Amino acid sequence: MARSYSMRARRQLHATSSGDPPLVLLEITHPDLPDPVRVVGDTQDLLSNGQVFVAMGFRVRLPDEVQGQQPRAELAVDNVGRELMQWVEQSAGGRNARVRLMQVLRSHPNNIEWEISMYLNNLRATATEVSGELGFPRLLDVPAVQMRADPQTMPGIF
């Protein structure tokens, strides 16, 4: 997965002691929710592209690239204030939720340095955290045609 960072972001990523480290923004959308859930992995709220991202702790393990299997990632969000439980209940357990991860610099929050969108599956909630698997739709498992010509569907041609 290629990433194209600006020169400013590259300097911050390669610095030994960065004064402006990259921040990860998390946006969760769902058809049953009027507004997306937006959080930033920091101690202060952040305004990016006109949207407020609330400071909250979360951890993301990005997709692995293993030969022969679908890429999978993991997301765990702190559930300290229990705000996410309201979202989980409103969205019927998060089914069909879409997650967008973005990376920005605090000094330039409107410039998205890197982003990826995935689907949220297998949501689990405990008293301290809400976690789930992130992945992509299994497009290669979907049939290309609605009806195949085989002995079961068209026995007369075989």
Side-chain angles (χ1 to χ4, degrees):
M1 156 179 12
R3 298 179 186 168
S4 178
Y5 289 105
S6 67
M7 187 55 77
R8 180 178 29 243
R10 280 190 237 162
R11 277 192 221 110
Q12 295 302 323
L13 286 169
H14 296 299
T16 306
S17 177
S18 174
D20 190 17
L23 300 175
V24 178
L25 308 177
L26 172 69
E27 182 179 74
I28 304 172
T29 56
H30 191 275
D32 293 341
L33 296 178
D35 296 317
V37 174
R38 292 185 178 97
V39 296
V40 58
D42 198 20
T43 57
Q44 299 173 359
D45 293 355
L46 181 73
L47 181 68
S48 176
N49 294 305
Q51 304 295 332
V52 175
F53 288 81
V54 179
M56 187 178 294
F58 65 90
R59 291 153 303 288
V60 177
R61 186 181 57 81
L62 292 177
D64 49 7
E65 295 183 20
V66 177
Q67 183 80 19
Q69 83 176 28
Q70 191 79 4
R72 288 276 176 226
E74 294 178 2
L75 171 68
V77 182
D78 292 344
N79 192 24
V80 177
R82 309 292 191 267
E83 292 91 4
L84 282 181
M85 288 313 296
Q86 180 181 6
W87 171 78
V88 171
E89 291 167 359
Q90 286 179 344
S91 65
R95 187 181 315 268
N96 298 324
R98 194 158 168 83
V99 173
R100 182 177 170 211
L101 296 164
M102 298 159 281
Q103 197 171 39
V104 299
L105 296 174
R106 182 169 286 284
S107 62
H108 294 84
N110 294 330
N111 183 25
I112 297 173
E113 298 289 345
W114 174 83
E115 73 176 277
I116 188 170
S117 293
M118 293 176 276
Y119 288 95
L120 181 61
N121 302 305
N122 300 328
L123 200 63
R124 299 171 303 282
T126 66
T128 57
E129 107 179 341
V130 175
S131 61
E133 294 177 5
L134 299 173
F136 302 101
R138 299 188 60 90
L139 297 175
L140 297 177
D141 291 342
V142 177
V145 295
Q146 288 188 0
M147 181 186 278
R148 280 186 357 196
D150 61 18
Q152 285 76 34
T153 59
M154 298 181 178
I157 66 170
F158 285 93

